[in-house]
Structures are given as structure tokens and as C-alpha cells.
Amino acid sequence: MDAQNKYMIEAISEAKAAAARGEIPVGAVLVNGLTGEVVARSGNQTETWRDPTAHAEIIVLQEGGKIYDAPRLPDCDLYVSLEPCAMCAAAISFARIRRLYFGAYDPKGGGVDHGGKFYGQPTCHHAPEVYGGIHEQECAAILKDFFKDRR
């Protein structure tokens, strides 16, 4: 199994764990792109922590900053089960993430290929390489099932 699939499957596992906690099922895995070591992993925690910024991406970026004792993570890659929102896209840019891989596209709330398309804005100082649609159907199904069960 190639690294792209391996780490996305780990992000999907985090998304499923988030769903089991009643969180919107989004998972993220931060990986050292040079060594392949998983640096941090998390699912959304907004409900659990009562924090609107506790998205999976933000949590793993914060953990990565603590581990590397640095605000920028230029050797790291990020795997997320859903296209990041504008807030997370900005944080990914500020962290100088090398590559962003995501699963399902988010036409309503995404900030990478949808919405404000953060990385295409002239005010964006750093845009990672972006690869979307990895395990897209599985990632989308997790979200659809989660919301269907709540209606």
C-alpha cells in the first residue's frame, strides 16, 4: 500500500472515531514528509471541547508545533478526510505545510477547491501542493451516514 492510501486510511479511522463521539466525522493525520513518521492524529473535537476551532486539522497542527517546537512545519504533509474549510486552509498555509491530501470534496464548506479557494488568493503567502479526492467515496459516505442518522 502506498503512503498516500496508508495515511488517508488512518485519517478515515480518526473520522470514524469522531463520529462515535458524536462529532462531525472529520479526521486528520500529520506526517513528517521526509521520514514518513506520523506526528499527530485527531478527529474533530468541537463538541467535546466546546470549541468552534477544534477541527481535526487545527488540533494536529497545534500538536505538530509542540512536537517540533516551531510554528511552521515545512517538512510535514497533512491528510484529511474532508476538504478543509477556510479557517483550516489558512492555518495550513500559516504552518507552511508541504502537501495537503484530502478525501471528500466539500462544495458547501470547503475553502480549498470551493468557497474562497484560499490558496488561489493573492493574500495567500504559502500554498501547499494539494491532492483531493483520495478515498473520496468512503470519506463522503461516512459524512452522509452521520448526518442521515441525525435526521
Side-chain angles (χ1 to χ4, degrees), residues 53-78:
T53 68
H55 291 197
E57 301 94 310
I58 301 294
I59 295 167
V60 299
L61 292 175
Q62 290 173 339
E63 186 64 24
K66 290 175 190 171
I67 288 169
Y68 289 116
D69 193 27
R72 286 169 290 285
L73 308 166
D75 294 329
C76 288
D77 299 337
L78 182 61

Side-chain angles (χ1 to χ4, degrees), residues 71-113:
R72 286 169 290 285
L73 308 166
D75 294 329
C76 288
D77 299 337
L78 182 61
Y79 294 79
V80 188
S81 61
L82 179 66
E83 176 184 350
C85 69
M87 173 184 72
C88 292
I92 291 163
S93 175
F94 295 152
R96 304 295 193 265
I97 293 299
R98 187 176 77 149
R99 294 185 183 118
L100 168 64
Y101 301 88
F102 67 85
Y105 289 88
D106 187 357
K108 183 177 177 184
V112 176
D113 282 355

Side-chain angles (χ1 to χ4, degrees), residues 15-16 18 21 24 32 47 65 69 74 85 87 109 113 125 134:
K16 289 177 180 177
R21 292 190 305 272
I24 293 175
N32 182 310
E47 300 296 327
D69 193 27
C85 69
M87 173 184 72
D113 282 355
H125 296 291
I134 302 161

